[in-house]
Amino acid sequence: DGIRDHCVTGVQTCALPISVGEPVKFLIDAQLLRGMRRWFSDAGFDAMHTLDLSAGNRSTDEQIRRFARSDQRVPNSLLPNLS
């Protein structure tokens, strides 16, 4: 399983949840380009970048975790202890 793109050699895989319930909402972390937000949005997902937060990319990991939990967003990076 994978996603083929004319700009990428080989097969790119991703593990996006597939659900018929509520749409998945993503929070794109600071180390990734803001353009990723548009990519997710164009794919039909609700997405925002940490630059959209009140503290922007100065948001701490804890602030990002709290926001993601409160807004039911999936951070696109691995953050320890999301529970």
Side-chain angles (χ1 to χ4, degrees):
D1 293 313
I3 299 171
R4 292 199 183 271
D5 187 285
H6 72 281
C7 297
V8 179
T9 58
V11 176
Q12 300 297 308
T13 60
C14 61
L16 298 178
I18 298 172
S19 171
V20 294
E22 292 292 319
V24 178
K25 299 186 331 185
F26 287 97
L27 178 60
I28 298 155
D29 209 354
Q31 76 271 15
L32 295 175
L33 298 174
R34 193 175 200 171
M36 290 290 293
R37 177 173 56 123
R38 184 172 180 177
W39 184 89
F40 278 103
S41 295
D42 288 350
F45 296 101
D46 180 340
M48 63 185 299
H49 193 277
T50 53
L51 284 168
D52 300 319
L53 301 175
S54 59
N57 282 346
R58 295 181 314 279
S59 301
T60 65
D61 286 348
E62 183 59 26
Q63 289 170 319
I64 292 169
R65 279 192 290 272
R66 285 183 187 166
F67 178 78
R69 268 195 307 268
S70 71
D71 202 42
Q72 298 180 342
R73 291 193 176 271
V74 177
N76 72 328
S77 60
L78 297 175
L79 297 174
N81 194 15
L82 288 176
S83 59

